[in-house]
Amino acid sequence: MAPAEISSKPKDGPATSFYADPLVTSIYGRESDFIDLVLVAGFPLLKQPQHIEAYQSFLQLVKTCLDPKDLKGLQPTAFLYDVPYLHVTIATLYPLQKRSSSSETVYTSIQNYFLKLLQVASDLPDWPKQALQLEIDSTQLGAKAGILLWKELSGGLAAMRECLRVAEDTLIQKDEAPWKIHSIPGIIHTTFIRFSKEPETNGEALQASYQSKVIPAISSIFSEPVEVSEIHLVCETTPYMHMIKEEGRTVLKTMKVG
């Protein structure tokens, strides 16, 4: 089984106009009445002191590209991810939506189904047996979000995504698939910034500063590969993984790799 090709580039290129993401307001408001199911590598992604220090240095450099107005206040326009919420999405199994108290039985069924699908996928012979190895590739500031782009050196992440596809096909053929996988990214990325409203920073100036300051420095900032030995099936009760990490509630299953 050959894993599907993973692109190193996102579909949307570098932007000079930046848009508000209404879900950032939900994070600021500490709303926890959402539901979706996401399979992620690392939660948090960065655990070693040298990696955390590198990310903090990276954020400081990003801040120099922004108008100070976009960084002020309790709910700044530029929403920068803290270390505990960094992750790499392997697949979004069920899409984000507001939770309904009348649908709790359905949600339980959805969670049980995707736990089953994950078990089928991880039982396949091509499911990786070694830890994932992430090496920084690049970074991009897009219209909706800024991301770090990774290369995964072991091939394990691509294999996981392919195993999920095979497992889903198997369950469909058995007529045991009431839900389909929502999406599997074509890139390996970590989001680090979104905007709660249109930034004060001039878009062209922001992108030019990012291109000249941040992108040339990215390889030296993240000079050491990141080893990921755990993946998590997560129920996002707050958007973009900004909820309290609780085994059994927000984290439905943790699996070791390597």
Side-chain angles (χ1 to χ4, degrees):
M1 173 173 66
E5 191 72 22
I6 293 181
S7 171
S8 63
K9 296 181 179 180
K11 292 180 181 179
D12 57 330
T16 54
S17 296
F18 302 93
Y19 305 117
D21 186 334
L23 291 176
V24 172
T25 303
S26 298
I27 298 172
Y28 281 142
R30 300 185 182 277
E31 296 177 23
S32 58
D33 56 346
F34 288 83
I35 182 171
D36 78 348
L37 295 179
V38 188
L39 186 64
V40 301
F43 182 34
L45 178 66
L46 307 179
K47 296 180 179 180
Q48 298 301 317
Q50 68 271 25
H51 297 139
I52 294 171
E53 183 178 345
Y55 180 69
Q56 291 169 342
S57 297
F58 166 73
L59 286 189
Q60 290 303 314
L61 190 57
V62 170
K63 289 177 181 179
T64 67
C65 302
L66 291 158
D67 189 307
K69 293 178 183 177
D70 290 324
L71 298 167
K72 288 183 176 179
L74 296 176
Q75 299 184 3
T77 297
F79 179 77
L80 296 161
Y81 283 39
D82 288 332
V83 170
Y85 311 111
L86 298 175
H87 61 279
V88 168
T89 298
I90 300 168
T92 300
L93 303 179
Y94 188 78
L96 187 74
Q97 59 186 249
K98 279 281 190 175
R99 199 170 191 125
S100 168
S101 58
S102 63
S103 301
E104 289 301 319
T105 301
V106 176
Y107 297 147
T108 299
S109 297
I110 292 168
Q111 291 177 359
N112 288 338
Y113 168 69
F114 283 111
L115 282 165
K116 175 182 177 180
L117 184 146
L118 180 57
Q119 188 62 56
V120 172
S122 63
D123 285 341
L124 292 169
D126 288 332
W127 187 264
K129 308 297 191 295
Q130 297 179 346
L132 307 179
Q133 301 289 334
L134 297 175
E135 180 182 89
I136 198 67
D137 186 22
S138 184
T139 179
Q140 180 170 293
L141 199 57
K144 297 179 180 179
I147 59 176
L148 297 168
L149 288 157
W150 303 97
K151 291 184 286 187
E152 202 287 291
L153 304 180
S154 75
L157 196 144
M160 285 180 184
R161 288 175 172 173
E162 188 60 25
C163 285
L164 290 169
R165 295 185 183 98
V166 171
E168 181 174 62
D169 288 343
T170 299
L171 293 173
I172 289 173
Q173 291 170 11
K174 293 181 177 180
D175 199 24
E176 296 177 5
W179 295 278
K180 294 194 70 176
I181 294 172
H182 176 65
S183 64
I184 297 179
I187 58 174
I188 302 172
H189 72 287
T190 297
T191 301
F192 69 87
I193 188 173
R194 296 182 188 271
F195 298 99
S196 62
K197 58 185 177 181
E198 186 177 342
E200 293 282 344
T201 313
N202 175 273
E204 291 186 0
L206 173 54
Q207 189 62 246
S209 183
Y210 197 80
Q211 294 280 336
S212 64
K213 292 182 180 180
V214 181
I215 291 178
I218 195 72
S219 294
S220 59
I221 293 173
F222 293 98
S223 58
E224 295 187 27
V226 178
E227 182 174 289
V228 181
S229 59
E230 289 183 342
I231 66 168
H232 310 272
L233 179 59
V234 176
C235 178
E236 281 188 286
T237 55
T238 302
Y240 305 135
M241 303 284 286
H242 279 72
M243 64 283 181
I244 298 172
K245 183 178 178 181
E246 297 177 90
E247 293 291 336
R249 181 174 177 265
T250 56
V251 178
L252 304 181
K253 187 177 181 68
T254 296
M255 300 178 68
K256 298 282 187 180
V257 285

